[in-house]
Amino acid sequence: MAFQDHFPIWGKLDQDQQERLAGSLLLRTVPKGKILHNGDMDCAGLLLVRRGQLRAYIQSEEGRQITIYRLFDRDMCLLSASCMMRSIQFEVTVAAEKDTEFWVIPTEVYQRLMEESAPVANYTNELMASRFSDVMWLMEQTMWKSLDKRLAAFLLEEAAIEGSRELKITHETIANYLGSHREVITRMLRYFQNEGMVELSRGKVTILQVEKLQALEG
């Protein structure tokens, strides 16, 4: 599908704006695991996912990670254009969770559109508000919800995304998503296995009892 099918306010741009935007786009394809942006890189521009899956996360000085949000088809990443939002005081890394194809919108082109077009400015503000809500929800979950509930919710979310109860994922990866340690996640997963909720094997977690996980998630 073309860019205009993924950009919801395309029809609200005039012809000159559409031509400028279309002429500036760069379509990229990256493999799973590729780092697209981090706090030490130059401003990467805005990323609009055509197909695939991206992950935005923050990392502590000790190397612990926690996912702040994920991006799927038609989602746009604003935080990769960090130079456009200088008030953001934390460093965000954006990486490909799967082989991903996306458009890069140069920051200067998008900034000009925001200045010219109220629909673009409003759309951008709505996206920022949505991402801020994601971060606030994450903080609430981390501060007030126990790890077993967060782990149960994560496994159910992964099953929904992948369309399968057989999740090819390591304990280290789960720990990075949840901002925990691998050893802690391993102990919790073994408890889940003892309770009959999951089955563990090398690099894989198979969900056996969705209802039990849902009850635990609360």
Side-chain angles (χ1 to χ4, degrees), residues 95-112:
E97 287 195 294
K98 297 181 178 179
D99 294 347
T100 302
E101 187 176 29
F102 59 91
W103 288 280
V104 180
I105 307 173
T107 305
E108 61 276 10
V109 173
Y110 197 85
Q111 279 184 306
R112 184 176 173 188

Side-chain angles (χ1 to χ4, degrees), residues 5 12 25 40 49 74 133 147 156 198 201 212:
D5 299 317
K12 296 182 180 180
L25 298 174
D40 298 322
V49 180
R74 299 175 184 269
S133 295
L147 183 59
L156 292 170
V198 303
S201 55
K212 283 189 176 182

Side-chain angles (χ1 to χ4, degrees), residues 165 188-200 206-213:
R165 295 187 183 187
M188 191 67 68
L189 285 171
R190 285 173 179 167
Y191 165 73
F192 282 12
Q193 180 171 248
N194 291 338
E195 293 295 311
M197 291 183 278
V198 303
E199 181 179 39
L200 305 178
T206 303
I207 297 174
L208 301 179
Q209 293 287 340
V210 170
E211 297 78 8
K212 283 189 176 182
L213 289 176

Side-chain angles (χ1 to χ4, degrees), residues 17-104:
Q17 291 168 337
Q18 289 178 347
E19 290 175 354
R20 275 189 281 130
L21 180 56
S24 71
L25 298 174
L26 173 64
L27 184 62
R28 290 187 59 194
T29 302
V30 297
K32 176 181 178 180
K34 175 73 174 178
I35 300 293
L36 306 178
H37 170 79
N38 66 40
D40 298 322
M41 289 182 177
D42 292 334
C43 196
L46 294 90
L47 312 179
L48 179 61
V49 180
R50 185 180 187 188
R51 59 173 181 83
Q53 190 170 311
L54 303 179
R55 171 185 175 232
Y57 63 92
I58 53 178
Q59 183 167 299
S60 71
E61 293 182 358
E62 296 78 25
R64 290 175 61 186
Q65 301 175 5
I66 188 166
T67 300
I68 54 175
Y69 60 80
R70 301 160 94 180
L71 298 165
F72 304 94
D73 297 6
R74 299 175 184 269
D75 285 340
M76 187 157 75
C77 183
L78 297 175
L79 295 181
S80 55
S82 54
C83 55
M84 194 173 74
M85 295 163 285
R86 299 186 184 278
S87 59
I88 294 178
Q89 298 298 312
F90 56 90
E91 296 183 349
V92 176
T93 301
V94 180
E97 287 195 294
K98 297 181 178 179
D99 294 347
T100 302
E101 187 176 29
F102 59 91
W103 288 280
V104 180

